[in-house]
Amino acid sequence: MTHRFLWLALAGMLVVAPALAEGSFPEELSPFDQGRLERFDTVRREAIAAARARGKPADVAVLNQVLKGEAASIPPARMAGDWRCRLLKLGGTPPLVVYADFKCRITDDAEGLRLEKITGSQRTSGIFYDIPGRRLGYAGAEAWGNERPLRYGQDMQRDQVGYLVPVSADRMRLELPLPMRESRFDILELRR
């Protein structure tokens, strides 16, 4: 009976343990990507202001809805699963682009929580990192067309870094500063 109790206790600990990647974020990122994160707040503020000032009214309404809500503490197990996701590109030409919904998936594997955008011609794939506060760090890479998913660090031109803001168990946003093309700030909205 004692061995059974010990096994159940250990199994329970595994279920509630965080499922996030280990490592020091952002110290393990390239110096270039550390710089992108250092400019996160300024770039975010400027890109949102430009999008609101010059974007189409319908797109600005979508942006305002996406930006609602502050980071909430959501257990990693509640983040795993299938999501609808849409990309918003801010601060480029045009100043705001809102894409249609695609499919994303968050899985919990040996590396931790992993995001994969599984449909569309621009697909991100990466890992979330536990950081102080309620946001999660993100390091990933973008694949194009029919390419296989890339890992962070394989191609600097495809690397993406940012923060996941879990608003609720049914809504999150991945915020990516200074993408390498088309915009100054990207937001991938995830909805159940």
Side-chain angles (χ1 to χ4, degrees), residues 4-167:
R4 182 175 181 203
F5 177 75
L6 180 60
W7 182 86
L8 288 173
L10 288 173
M13 287 174 30
L14 292 174
V15 170
V16 297
L20 304 176
E22 294 181 14
S24 50
F25 183 93
E27 289 79 16
E28 292 183 4
L29 300 176
S30 71
F32 177 78
D33 288 330
Q34 289 179 31
R36 286 204 273 188
L37 290 179
E38 287 169 5
R39 296 190 304 267
F40 180 90
D41 291 328
T42 301
V43 171
R44 182 182 192 273
R45 185 175 51 255
E46 291 171 353
I48 290 171
R52 285 178 169 157
R54 298 190 305 276
K56 295 178 185 175
D59 291 342
V60 172
V62 171
L63 172 64
N64 290 336
Q65 183 64 36
V66 168
L67 292 173
K68 283 185 180 177
E70 298 299 318
S73 183
I74 308 293
R78 303 253 343 249
M79 294 181 198
D82 292 331
W83 295 82
R84 289 181 297 151
C85 54
R86 65 178 165 185
L87 185 63
L88 288 76
K89 291 187 165 284
L90 291 71
T93 304
L96 176 58
V97 178
V98 177
Y99 288 88
D101 284 343
F102 292 97
K103 293 180 183 178
C104 287
R105 180 171 295 137
I106 295 179
T107 55
D108 188 3
D109 63 22
E111 293 183 60
L113 284 179
R114 173 175 286 284
L115 169 69
E116 186 173 4
K117 184 173 178 276
I118 53 179
T119 60
S121 60
Q122 297 177 12
R123 298 175 322 282
T124 190
S125 177
I127 297 173
F128 296 112
Y129 290 81
D130 196 10
I131 58 174
R134 294 181 175 172
R135 297 184 305 179
L136 302 177
Y138 179 76
E142 187 175 57
W144 301 330
N146 293 323
E147 294 176 334
R148 299 182 77 168
L150 298 176
R151 291 182 162 271
Y152 176 82
Q154 283 184 284
D155 182 345
M156 183 179 150
Q157 296 297 313
R158 306 288 189 89
D159 286 346
Q160 297 174 308
V161 294
Y163 298 105
L164 180 72
V165 180
V167 177

